[in-house]
Amino acid sequence: MRGRSTEPPRHSDRGNTSLRRSQGLSPASSLAGKSRTVCAIWQRPFSFSAWTMFPSVVGNQRHICLILLVFLVSVTITNSQDNAFDPDVKPIQVGEAQAPRYLLYDVNPGEGFNLRRDVYMRIANLVRNLNEDAPWILVLPPWGRLYHWKSQHLHQIGIPWSTFFDLASLRKFVPVIEFEELLQLLPTPVIDELYYLQSYQNWKEWEEKMEIQDCLQNPYRRNEETGRWKGWFFGFGETVSAEKFACMSVMGHASSLKPFLLKNTTGSTVMIDRGEVVLHDRFGDTSYWECRRSMRFSKPLRQLGDAFRETFLDSTDEADNTVLDEDWTKMKRKHGEAKGGPYLAAHLRRADFAHVREKDVPSLKYTAKQLKSKLEEWKLTKLFIATDASSKEFEKLKGYLDGYEVFRYEPPSEEVHETYKDGGLAIIDQWICAHARYFIGTRESTFSFRIQDEREILGFDPDTTFNCLCGDKKKDKECEQPSRWKIVY
């Protein structure tokens, strides 16, 4: 569901300066200043750069250091290993180190948790491409209150990524840093350049292009006293601002921003808002799946899900053949290797889907009929349901499933809910669904898509993964099942 800004549309006073890639844009001046110590590291070496992470603890304050070492190397390699240190061999030439630059991004406020995860992958691949030419670090946008996060008693703004994801795993694909860590590094909480992406209007033919244009919609406002731009900034808008702002119409893949960022921006901190406007470069290829595999859930959330599986669903990784390698880069499973726990899992999207996708979302009674059929087919008696249905709807559904044990995840304590928020509980739901013997989801739901991804990574048979519930009026042959986006190594 896409939300709309509550801010009235404002128009930029900037001109229609063209930034088409086909034009000869002047290169940006080199970044001045010293390389800063920052809290992130990329463990994947490039031909010209490498990052090393040195976390340390001083008292109760955690200091995370990134020592950036950039080398422009020219080496003469001989076939013999014996003369590796021969004085006649041409020495390594080391160039001047470059200070890293930081790329921030945000997404349309109305987008949900799992679409935001998808946008992260687009931007992460962009940053990976940028690092082929210069050192860039991706700044992770704090999570804020989303449509599906209904717990009003919880503070759910400014949540760091480490609450939900394992940052060490992310850093094996691309260098990342939390937003609050970046703020600790900056002399003032000011972002140098901010570009608000927007789609072209009334276009007839698709082509990669971009231009600075008047804003079609602008949630940012200019402070007349400071000349800086104020906005939401992930819930930090009271203190954070941007020095430069422009709206930019874009049609293209995420990589289409690379020339612009390298040649037409000079700030050490650059932000692009509405990151969902740009598309995946190569959806479903090896790079896509490497990024996806790096998005490991945080260990505490996985442990909570595993404890629930073992306690209520007789499911353990050893018995189910779903043991994770701690290093995702070394884990390559074949389809069918994972067995899964002795339970069936279903994702039933209700709430908005029950109204906007009425033809695809079955009634509770028809849902139960389909689930019973699958339980009988797989000779299972336990059913786990991940759903945004109300407690009343869930109890009604259970009534249609007499004779089966039906479960949904409830946090073992309020402290767990307060610590990991609604987003954490949703991840636990996905983790439990990902380990089931058989999974059936909701058509066109990104929540279901991400469960399918996890099951591909774990090595399940696709026949047990790519399934969806059918609407009441659709016959079996008319109920289209999900596309099978299989993992690629």
Side-chain angles (χ1 to χ4, degrees):
M1 174 180 176
R2 296 180 179 270
R4 296 185 177 180
S5 171
T6 56
E7 291 278 346
R10 295 184 175 88
H11 296 281
S12 171
D13 56 1
R14 303 174 186 271
N16 292 330
T17 305
S18 175
L19 290 174
R20 296 181 189 272
R21 295 175 61 194
S22 59
Q23 294 184 354
L25 302 176
S26 60
S29 60
S30 61
L31 182 66
K34 298 180 179 179
S35 176
R36 293 190 178 93
T37 302
V38 299
C39 59
I41 153 71
W42 198 359
Q43 297 171 354
R44 293 180 63 95
F46 278 109
S47 60
F48 72 95
S49 62
W51 282 262
T52 306
M53 183 179 176
F54 301 97
S56 62
V57 177
V58 180
N60 293 324
Q61 185 175 6
R62 180 171 180 262
H63 297 273
I64 308 175
C65 300
L66 164 69
I67 297 179
L68 175 67
L69 305 174
V70 181
F71 300 102
L72 303 177
V73 182
S74 175
V75 185
T76 300
I77 301 176
T78 64
N79 292 328
S80 173
Q81 295 297 321
D82 296 333
N83 65 353
F85 295 96
D86 191 311
D88 294 330
V89 175
K90 186 178 181 180
I92 295 175
Q93 299 175 354
V94 181
E96 183 180 354
Q98 298 179 30
R101 301 177 69 189
Y102 303 91
L103 182 65
L104 301 85
Y105 77 97
D106 202 358
V107 182
N108 177 27
E111 302 294 359
F113 186 84
N114 292 288
L115 188 282
R116 289 170 182 270
R117 289 171 60 185
D118 185 80
V119 175
Y120 163 82
M121 294 176 64
R122 306 176 205 181
I123 307 303
N125 272 292
L126 167 61
V127 172
R128 199 184 199 200
N129 288 335
L130 286 168
N131 273 278
E132 294 175 354
D133 297 275
W136 283 76
I137 296 172
L138 176 57
V139 182
L140 301 169
W143 299 92
R145 187 178 295 280
L146 304 180
Y147 171 78
H148 290 285
W149 295 0
K150 302 295 187 181
S151 300
Q152 299 296 323
H153 67 288
L154 296 178
H155 179 75
Q156 302 195 89
I157 295 175
I159 304 171
W161 272 62
S162 58
T163 303
F164 303 136
F165 296 96
D166 183 81
L167 299 194
S169 290
L170 295 181
R171 288 173 178 143
K172 289 180 179 179
F173 182 79
V174 71
V176 299
I177 182 176
E178 297 274 22
F179 179 67
E180 287 195 77
E181 293 171 340
L182 174 66
L183 293 181
Q184 295 174 14
L185 300 172
L186 299 177
T188 57
V190 179
I191 298 167
D192 295 325
E193 301 177 48
L194 167 61
Y195 298 94
Y196 189 76
L197 306 187
Q198 57 191 17
S199 299
Y200 278 92
Q201 300 296 298
N202 303 318
W203 59 276
K204 296 181 179 180
E205 185 176 350
W206 195 91
E207 62 175 319
E208 286 204 336
K209 59 182 179 179
M210 60 185 68
E211 296 177 72
I212 297 293
Q213 292 188 332
D214 289 340
C215 299
L216 301 174
Q217 184 181 24
N218 181 9
Y220 296 92
R221 63 190 184 282
R222 189 171 183 271
N223 185 305
E224 296 300 330
E225 294 182 6
T226 64
R228 291 172 177 159
W229 293 83
K230 302 293 291 182
W232 170 245
F233 292 114
F234 324 111
F236 293 79
E238 290 295 320
T239 56
V240 177
S241 60
E243 190 70 43
K244 176 183 176 182
F245 172 84
C247 286
M248 186 160 68
S249 296
V250 177
M251 181 184 295
H253 300 90
S255 62
S256 67
L257 296 175
K258 178 179 177 178
F260 170 75
L261 292 170
L262 290 176
K263 298 179 180 180
N264 293 84
T265 64
T266 58
S268 63
T269 53
V270 181
M271 177 173 172
I272 52 176
D273 199 348
R274 295 300 298 269
E276 78 281 357
V277 171
V278 292
L279 307 175
H280 279 287
D281 283 277
R282 296 174 299 276
F283 189 88
D285 72 353
T286 303
S287 182
Y288 170 93
W289 276 105
E290 284 183 357
C291 185
R292 180 62 185 84
R293 289 159 60 203
S294 75
M295 298 183 73
R296 285 270 180 94
F297 295 135
S298 68
K299 183 171 287 188
L301 291 178
R302 285 184 275 137
Q303 290 173 337
L304 285 166
D306 291 342
F308 185 91
R309 287 167 50 211
E310 183 173 7
T311 301
F312 298 102
L313 300 170
D314 301 322
S315 172
T316 65
D317 285 333
E318 292 73 19
D320 305 345
N321 200 22
T322 53
V323 176
L324 281 181
D325 191 309
E326 285 301 314
D327 184 351
W328 64 265
T329 65
K330 299 178 180 178
M331 181 174 169
K332 296 181 180 180
R333 305 295 298 273
K334 295 180 180 179
H335 287 121
E337 286 188 10
K339 177 183 178 182
Y343 63 97
L344 187 145
H347 168 229
L348 176 61
R349 176 86 172 261
R350 298 288 295 171
D352 57 326
F353 260 43
H355 303 290
V356 300
R357 296 181 179 271
E358 187 177 359
K359 293 181 179 179
D360 295 322
V361 178
S363 65
L364 296 176
K365 188 173 183 178
Y366 191 51
T367 297
K369 180 180 179 180
Q370 295 177 75
L371 294 176
K372 277 184 177 181
S373 176
K374 290 300 179 182
L375 286 163
E376 292 172 0
E377 178 183 344
W378 287 85
K379 297 179 173 57
L380 299 170
T381 60
K382 293 191 175 186
L383 170 64
F384 178 80
I385 299 179
T387 182
D388 58 354
S390 65
S391 297
K392 183 178 180 180
E393 284 184 315
F394 182 71
E395 290 302 318
K396 185 176 181 180
L397 177 60
K398 285 178 64 176
Y400 292 131
L401 292 162
D402 186 47
Y404 295 96
E405 294 183 79
V406 183
F407 302 89
R408 75 185 302 183
Y409 183 77
E410 296 289 347
S413 67
E414 183 57 30
E415 181 181 2
V416 168
H417 197 182
E418 291 175 353
T419 301
Y420 299 107
K421 319 298 184 184
D422 289 349
L425 300 193
I427 284 174
I428 294 171
D429 269 344
Q430 290 180 314
W431 189 244
I432 296 170
C433 286
H435 288 76
R437 187 74 49 84
Y438 183 93
F439 171 70
I440 185 167
T442 295
R443 179 174 168 77
E444 298 299 325
S445 168
T446 54
F447 190 98
S448 289
F449 292 161
R450 300 293 79 82
I451 294 170
Q452 292 163 2
D453 291 347
E454 294 294 336
R455 292 177 65 85
E456 278 291 288
I457 293 169
L458 289 170
F460 280 91
D461 185 327
D463 288 343
T464 71
T465 294
F466 297 99
N467 310 287
C468 69
L469 295 163
C470 302
D472 291 36
K473 297 180 180 180
K474 290 189 175 181
K475 298 178 182 179
D476 291 342
K477 62 180 180 180
E478 298 175 346
C479 183
E480 184 180 359
Q481 294 301 298
S483 298
R484 296 191 172 196
W485 290 101
K486 297 180 183 179
I487 195 167
V488 179
Y489 294 108

